[in-house]
Amino acid sequence: MCFGGWVRCGLLCLACVGLGGGDGEVGAQEAAARVKVTPEVSLDDAALLARIRAGMVEKEAVKAGEMTDYRETIPKSGVEFEMVAIPGGEFLMGSPEGEVDRLEDEGPRRKVKVSPFWMGKCEVTWDEYEPFMMTEVRREKHGGWTGFDPAVHDAVDGVSQPTPPYTEMSFGMGQSGYPAICMTQHAANKYCQWLSAQTGHFYRLPTEAEWEYACRGGTTTAYSFGDDAMEEYAWFYDNSNDKYQKVGTKKPNPWGLHDMHGNVSEWTADAYGESYPVPDDRGVLINPWTVPERLYPRVVRGGSWYDDPDRLRSAARLGSSEDWKQQDPQLPKSLWYHTDATWVGFRVVRPIEVPTVEEMDAHWNSARGKR
């Protein structure tokens, strides 16, 4: 899988475990069995990732032309979610200079080619997310389960999960059927790893390019619907009653995705820049991904229930900020919660190809060691 020209992946201790089949997989599991969770050591290392990847064996390869929408059940919770097949293609990413309410960070426009993938039909709900967020086991601040034994427990149990929140994270806006909110990008990434370990499918956050491509749904206008149809397709400041709403209650975009405009803003996998990087030859970028090198800022898309319509445009962008966790009383601040960002959530994607362990690590652990 090609990730474009801005990918810089690294994985500590990768050389000490096997990444392929056969003896390599056994070596990875043996290496994991020797690791103990401590305040300094988490199981989210190459050995665990290799163990998770070993379970991602498709019964038969899925080809782009054979992709279909599907419904999947999360084994640990029994909750179902739906994925929509998104065809690959090319598009112009960003907004044209003449677009009303355009901001400078939405350009320069660039040609982008995106490979086929599946995307969540709706934003991840509390029904899906809360079983990941709330566990009864004791965890270190990095989320590792202190009693985890790799020789006994499933790989999913080795995935770092959030420490308990200090307040009720829906803030009274609703839970069942409503979008999960207030998680850091790191927490969203680890949810994707937790989900992948259970289902045997590789889930991650969408890249910024994938997100905009899916949001547009083949359109080139400011929204994927007509300007006069906002109330039919989106939850925003004027109609949201000062809170998020249940997912999937507005009309979907042309590709069958709900709430791409409004309800909650959505995390992407990218670092935020004040402009887009463009290749010197002005050629087509293939699956671009601006890999984060710092914690802030990172990109959220789509606008929310708290925003005016201009922030719901397909090309509108926002960078994350440390201010999103001002209310957090913990020192140091939590890895898991942006308690002030009651309008930020996410949805998942699944690429058609199972990536390498290095690529998994780059997505799921992009916050490791970053400041």
Side-chain angles (χ1 to χ4, degrees):
M1 186 171 185
C2 177
F3 286 88
W6 288 277
V7 177
R8 298 180 182 86
C9 301
L11 188 59
L12 295 176
C13 301
L14 193 58
C16 67
V17 300
L19 303 183
D23 294 340
E25 292 175 8
V26 174
Q29 294 185 30
E30 289 178 348
R34 294 193 295 269
V35 180
K36 299 299 180 184
V37 175
T38 70
E40 293 77 31
V41 178
S42 169
L43 262 292
D44 289 325
D45 60 4
L48 180 65
L49 297 182
R51 187 176 175 186
I52 292 173
R53 190 180 190 278
M56 294 181 179
V57 180
E58 300 289 348
K59 293 182 179 178
E60 55 184 279
V62 178
K63 298 179 182 179
E66 299 172 349
M67 290 177 65
T68 58
D69 300 352
Y70 68 92
R71 183 188 298 266
E72 182 144 60
T73 300
I74 304 173
K76 289 283 184 179
S77 63
V79 177
E80 291 186 334
F81 63 98
E82 294 182 72
M83 300 293 291
V84 175
I86 305 297
E90 289 187 17
F91 78 114
L92 279 174
M93 183 175 176
S95 59
E97 293 188 5
E99 185 169 297
V100 176
D101 296 316
R102 179 187 190 270
L103 298 179
E104 287 299 315
D105 67 351
E106 297 167 21
R109 296 185 89 188
R110 53 187 184 165
K111 293 180 181 179
V112 171
K113 184 175 182 179
V114 176
S115 298
F117 59 95
W118 289 270
M119 181 174 247
K121 183 176 183 178
C122 296
E123 296 153 338
V124 172
T125 65
W126 284 118
D127 308 81
E128 299 162 59
Y129 188 76
E130 191 171 42
F132 163 76
M133 184 181 78
M134 300 294 289
T135 61
E136 297 181 357
V137 301
R138 182 181 175 187
R139 296 190 178 277
E140 304 292 350
K141 284 192 174 182
H142 55 55
W145 175 11
T146 56
F148 178 74
D149 182 349
V152 175
H153 298 120
D154 292 339
V156 63
D157 295 320
V159 178
S160 292
Q161 293 177 239
T163 52
Y166 69 90
T167 189
E168 196 276 300
M169 298 307 295
S170 75
F171 293 91
M173 292 191 289
Q175 290 185 304
S176 184
Y178 291 90
I181 56 168
C182 292
M183 71 290 296
T184 61
Q185 191 210 49
H186 174 67
N189 281 329
K190 301 313 287 184
Y191 172 83
C192 292
Q193 182 179 350
W194 179 80
L195 184 65
S196 301
Q198 295 183 67
T199 62
H201 294 141
F202 175 67
Y203 290 105
R204 59 168 170 80
L205 294 179
T207 64
E208 193 175 8
E210 288 170 337
W211 192 96
E212 184 175 328
Y213 176 72
C215 178
R216 290 187 178 279
T219 67
T220 59
T221 50
Y223 307 94
S224 65
F225 51 83
D227 291 357
D228 58 350
M230 182 72 65
E231 294 272 354
E232 299 177 37
Y233 288 85
W235 294 110
F236 58 106
Y237 187 78
D238 289 349
N239 72 349
S240 66
N241 197 28
D242 293 327
K243 63 186 289 290
Y244 58 43
Q245 301 294 322
K246 286 192 174 182
V247 302
T249 55
K250 292 292 187 180
K251 290 182 178 179
N253 79 350
W255 285 349
L257 301 169
H258 293 270
D259 302 312
M260 293 298 286
H261 306 276
N263 208 20
V264 293
S265 298
E266 299 174 12
W267 282 112
T268 72
D270 289 53
Y272 172 85
E274 293 184 357
S275 63
Y276 289 132
V278 177
D280 294 336
D281 62 1
R282 299 281 168 171
V284 177
L285 292 173
I286 299 176
N287 297 322
W289 174 29
T290 305
V291 180
E293 296 182 351
R294 302 179 63 183
L295 276 182
Y296 303 103
R298 302 186 182 202
V299 180
V300 295
R301 287 292 205 118
S304 74
W305 60 269
Y306 189 70
D307 289 309
D308 291 324
D310 64 294
R311 302 310 301 154
L312 276 59
R313 291 174 301 112
S314 297
R317 313 169 67 221
L318 180 65
S320 63
S321 168
E322 289 181 277
D323 292 343
W324 294 4
K325 57 175 62 184
Q326 281 186 336
Q327 295 181 62
D328 186 349
Q330 302 178 75
L331 292 175
K333 299 289 189 181
S334 173
L335 297 171
W336 304 101
Y337 303 104
H338 277 316
T339 317
D340 295 82
T342 56
W343 33 266
V344 172
F346 70 104
R347 74 179 72 214
V348 300
V349 301
R350 173 190 164 194
I352 195 169
E353 296 181 8
V354 176
T356 65
V357 171
E358 297 98 322
E359 290 164 346
M360 290 180 178
D361 181 74
H363 278 283
W364 292 340
N365 295 304
S366 66
R368 179 195 286 156
K370 302 292 194 301
R371 292 185 178 275

